[in-house]
Amino acid sequence: MNRTLLNNVLRFIGFLVLQLFLLDRINFLGYINPMIYILFIILFPVENKRWSFMLLAFTIGIILDTFQDTGGAHAAACLTLAYTRPMWLSLVYGESYKMKNVKILKTPMDKLAVLMVLCIALHHLVFFSLVIFNTSQILYTLKLTLSVGLASLLLNSFLLLLFKHRIKA
């Protein structure tokens, strides 16, 4: 088995298990549950086929929807993020992304942080818009997007800092 494939399978299973059995039970302040499974979509290798990436994003989203009873909101948010990720990568990495020589985990933390902010903001906005699905609750949707997004960003940054030093640049 290819080392990259093994890393991606372990990352997929690890993030999914952590999300379902640990982070979904946090309920900080009654409503904040950080989402770390987004890191799987953000860190997925650039050089892989787009259709397999979209399928994996849908799979992780639909599994979470099944366990959380969110009616497809995770799947839609994951697919939206997976579909727009090339745009975010091009915006953050520029010419390096177009030449397909970007290793996301090996990039500087500042570029990775910008990428995470963009991806988390989009994912959470789509997710909470679909979960609440009421235009009169727009401020509540933005509050959830901001608070859960900030918690997700902090936890994801901590995880990356924890594991990034093991990766040789």
Side-chain angles (χ1 to χ4, degrees), residues 16-68:
L16 199 56
V17 167
L18 273 174
Q19 185 68 48
L20 288 172
F21 299 113
L22 179 66
L23 295 173
D24 284 348
R25 305 202 186 318
I26 289 179
N27 281 334
F28 181 67
L29 298 177
Y31 65 94
I32 297 177
N33 292 327
M35 299 182 191
I36 64 162
Y37 70 91
I38 300 168
L39 267 181
F40 175 76
I41 298 171
I42 294 171
L43 298 177
F44 196 77
V46 175
E47 62 273 355
N48 285 0
K49 301 242 183 286
R50 187 164 168 99
W51 66 269
S52 62
F53 175 53
M54 298 287 284
L55 184 64
L56 285 171
F58 176 77
T59 303
I60 199 167
I62 204 72
I63 291 171
L64 284 162
D65 284 327
T66 303
F67 280 94
Q68 295 180 358

Side-chain angles (χ1 to χ4, degrees), residues 3 13 21 25 31-32 36 41 70 87 95 98 102-103 106 115 126 131 146 149 158 161-162 164 166-167:
R3 184 173 174 89
I13 294 169
F21 299 113
R25 305 202 186 318
Y31 65 94
I32 297 177
I36 64 162
I41 298 171
T70 49
M87 179 180 68
E95 197 63 36
K98 292 176 184 163
V102 172
K103 303 285 186 214
K106 293 181 181 180
L115 180 66
V126 170
V131 167
L146 183 64
F158 175 73
L161 286 173
L162 192 64
K164 193 168 170 57
R166 295 181 185 176
I167 314 249

Side-chain angles (χ1 to χ4, degrees), residues 137-151:
Q137 296 289 323
I138 191 83
L139 290 177
Y140 182 62
T141 303
L142 292 175
K143 174 188 164 191
L144 283 175
T145 301
L146 183 64
S147 58
V148 176
L150 186 59

Side-chain angles (χ1 to χ4, degrees), residues 10 12 19 21 27 65 81 93 98 118 120 122-123 145:
L10 291 176
F12 182 90
Q19 185 68 48
F21 299 113
N27 281 334
D65 284 327
L81 179 58
Y93 296 108
K98 292 176 184 163
L118 293 170
I120 289 172
L122 174 72
H123 177 275
T145 301

